[in-house]
Amino acid sequence: MKKDYSDPLATFNQLYKEMDEIYHQYARDHGMSDTAMWLLYSLCLSDTPYTQREICSEWHYPPQTLNSALKTLERQGLIALESVPGNQKNKLVVLTEQGNSVVQQMIAPLVAAERQSFMELQESEKEALLSLTQKYVDLLQSNIRKI
């Protein structure tokens, strides 16, 4: 489908939603909610376990939304919640053996496809994409706070 670039802001938002739909469909095709997929994704990319609070902060999820996904993944045996030494309130989110298997089957190929797509961009395009996206996010956040 050909994009109509006459309204660049609408086009930008449509592209954002199209990318979001790609991830949504991928999660759905693998029998998982978007939040659960992103939770496993975050654990896949991290060398150390996250706390629930860290996941909420870094991945911009409301605690209630994340908690619901955590409970589902815990019931499925994909994650375990472990106490943080000296802090009983925060729990570390840790992949189980079964969770590691699901990550290797589902998340690792997704990350590989993303990396391949990103690598197909020229260096200047990668830098521009990241720089301009960050600038837009910062400006949008600032301007919305003024409302």
Side-chain angles (χ1 to χ4, degrees):
M1 180 175 165
K2 188 175 182 207
K3 299 285 183 207
D4 174 12
Y5 294 106
S6 62
D7 184 346
L9 185 56
T11 301
F12 177 81
N13 285 320
Q14 289 164 0
L15 288 169
Y16 171 81
K17 294 302 288 175
E18 182 177 354
M19 193 164 61
D20 194 45
E21 178 61 23
I22 291 168
Y23 288 108
H24 171 72
Q25 190 62 50
Y26 187 84
R28 198 170 103 196
D29 289 349
H30 289 83
M32 199 163 284
S33 73
D34 293 11
T35 307
M37 182 197 71
W38 285 113
L39 175 55
L40 292 177
Y41 183 101
S42 70
L43 295 172
C44 175
L45 295 184
S46 179
D47 293 333
T48 59
Y50 276 112
T51 64
Q52 292 173 263
R53 180 171 287 144
E54 289 169 334
I55 295 170
C56 288
S57 175
E58 289 184 28
W59 291 90
H60 304 279
Y61 275 107
Q64 250 182 328
T65 302
L66 184 66
N67 197 44
S68 176
L70 286 170
K71 287 185 185 304
T72 299
L73 292 172
E74 190 176 32
R75 274 194 308 272
Q76 293 171 343
L78 302 180
I79 62 156
L81 299 175
E82 298 178 356
S83 296
V84 175
N87 184 342
Q88 294 303 313
K89 190 171 182 176
N90 277 327
K91 303 281 187 191
L92 289 174
V93 182
V94 180
L95 287 169
T96 62
E97 188 175 319
Q98 184 181 351
N100 274 313
S101 178
V102 169
V103 162
Q104 290 309 308
Q105 293 170 5
M106 177 186 169
I107 305 299
L110 174 62
V111 172
E114 289 176 318
R115 289 189 195 281
Q116 180 62 39
S117 300
F118 198 73
M119 294 309 295
E120 290 176 16
L121 296 173
Q122 296 175 8
E123 271 315 303
S124 61
E125 291 172 324
K126 292 175 201 174
E127 291 171 15
L129 177 64
L130 295 175
S131 174
L132 291 173
T133 302
Q134 183 63 63
K135 183 175 182 177
Y136 180 76
V137 166
D138 293 344
L139 290 168
L140 181 61
Q141 188 172 52
S142 174
N143 287 313
I144 286 180
R145 284 185 177 145
K146 293 175 187 175
I147 298 174

